Amino acid sequence: MNNVAFYQTIFSLPFAYMAAFLAADGNPDIMVMVWITLTIIAARSAAMALDNLVDLKYDKDQPRFKERPMVSGRISHKDVYIFLAICFVVLIGSVLQLDPICIKLLPVAALPFIIYPFTKRVTCLCHYVCGVAIAMAPAGGWVAVRGTIDWTMIVLCIAVALWIGGFDVVYGAQDEEFDKAHGLHSMATVLGVDRALLLAKLTHVACMLVFVYLGLLLGLNAAYYIGVLVAASVLYYQHKIIHVNGFGVFTRDYYMHNGIVSVAIFLFTLVSLYTR
């Protein structure tokens, strides 16, 4: 589990649930939710394991990653391949229990996860590819319930992609010098740290505006906007402490604070659905 940072599932799973509840107008089938859960966990775990495998040659030179299981040798390449195979079986098996369109769209949904580890070698837009990859969670949750691709789903996916993309810009900014030395790309290597952090702030402002638009589109009540306000406050706080304390604040606690965004918006969406 340490090799795939399982706790980071909190970024994607609440939005997959949110999409499912919205698509079902607040009453999704319980077994559909179970299969959505297994699908998201398997896909996200496989994606993280693949990312660590692809980046291993760089991670071995990164002092911050010396305790990672693959870097330290506690997990071998063989272990990762076995884990990926298990994730693949669980993923396919779970998706097959959902609407038939899901298995047809699986290659499209998986593509961002597969290419993301390689994009940092060629483009500074890698952060937003990461955002699109995570946005496949709400897309999957929606399609699993409704069996269609709708504008509402796309708007939710855009909001999630902007949220994660902005966060990844901030995360990547701490490695500006390392990335330059190793020929890797990020917004910080192109724009510099200060401008990259400004771009992340603007990205998160755009993210919150899209969430507001989503609420208007669905006719959600005031409860939903409380959730958006909580999320906006968390993002403001995260940018503030980076500005004040620097990149040393990047810990598991910092990651979990970011997870408040997805949890808050999901929970207050439920309140809105059930108090209409």
Side-chain angles (χ1 to χ4, degrees):
M1 290 300 183
N2 289 336
N3 191 48
V4 297
F6 185 74
Y7 65 91
Q8 292 182 25
T9 307
I10 197 172
F11 295 165
S12 53
L13 201 52
F15 280 124
Y17 289 160
M18 175 180 169
F21 272 87
L22 288 173
D25 198 25
N27 190 34
D29 180 87
I30 184 63
M31 286 310 301
V32 170
M33 297 301 291
V34 169
W35 296 121
I36 287 174
T37 301
L38 290 175
T39 297
I40 298 301
I41 290 175
R44 193 252 162 223
S45 298
M48 192 67 179
L50 178 63
D51 184 46
N52 289 338
L53 184 63
V54 172
D55 280 348
L56 184 58
K57 67 177 182 179
Y58 299 109
D59 291 350
K60 286 182 175 179
D61 293 334
Q62 173 59 271
R64 289 193 296 110
F65 298 157
K66 64 181 180 180
E67 295 302 322
R68 285 190 172 183
M70 288 197 69
V71 174
S72 65
R74 298 196 305 275
I75 292 180
S76 67
H77 282 67
K78 179 181 178 181
D79 294 330
V80 176
Y81 292 136
I82 292 173
F83 181 77
L84 285 170
I86 293 171
C87 288
F88 179 77
V89 171
V90 174
L91 175 62
I92 296 297
S94 299
V95 172
L96 285 172
Q97 307 307 312
L98 299 169
D99 190 289
I101 193 177
C102 293
I103 195 67
K104 296 176 182 178
L105 292 177
L106 181 58
V108 177
L111 184 61
F113 289 104
I114 295 171
I115 68 172
Y116 167 65
F118 302 97
T119 55
K120 61 190 74 175
R121 292 160 170 75
V122 295
T123 176
C124 63
L125 296 176
C126 54
H127 312 290
Y128 297 101
V129 175
C130 180
V132 171
I134 299 299
M136 292 300 100
W142 182 280
V143 174
V145 171
R146 189 162 292 191
T148 59
I149 298 174
D150 304 291
W151 175 241
T152 302
M153 181 205 82
I154 294 172
V155 171
L156 175 56
C157 290
I158 290 172
V160 172
L162 289 173
W163 166 50
I164 291 296
F167 180 79
D168 202 57
V169 169
V170 177
Y171 180 79
Q174 67 183 315
D175 294 327
E176 178 193 16
E177 296 304 320
F178 179 89
D179 289 346
K180 284 182 177 179
H182 290 78
L184 299 173
H185 300 264
S186 72
M187 285 298 176
T189 64
V190 174
L191 302 176
V193 170
D194 290 342
R195 289 182 178 178
L197 293 179
L198 175 59
L199 175 63
K201 292 175 183 176
L202 294 175
T203 299
H204 283 151
V205 169
C207 165
M208 290 298 104
L209 291 175
V210 176
F211 272 121
V212 169
Y213 171 60
L214 178 68
L216 296 173
L217 191 64
L218 290 167
L220 299 175
N221 64 26
Y224 169 78
Y225 297 100
I226 294 174
V228 174
L229 182 60
V230 171
S233 299
V234 170
L235 292 177
Y236 173 81
Y237 168 76
Q238 288 188 301
H239 284 288
K240 184 69 174 179
I241 61 173
I242 288 289
H243 176 74
V244 173
N245 299 318
F247 294 116
V249 302
F250 267 110
T251 62
R252 175 178 286 200
D253 288 342
Y254 185 88
Y255 271 99
M256 296 307 288
H257 288 154
N258 194 49
I260 295 173
V261 172
S262 56
V263 173
I265 294 180
F266 167 54
L267 291 180
F268 281 97
T269 297
L270 288 186
V271 174
S272 180
L273 284 172
Y274 293 136
T275 58
R276 285 191 297 185

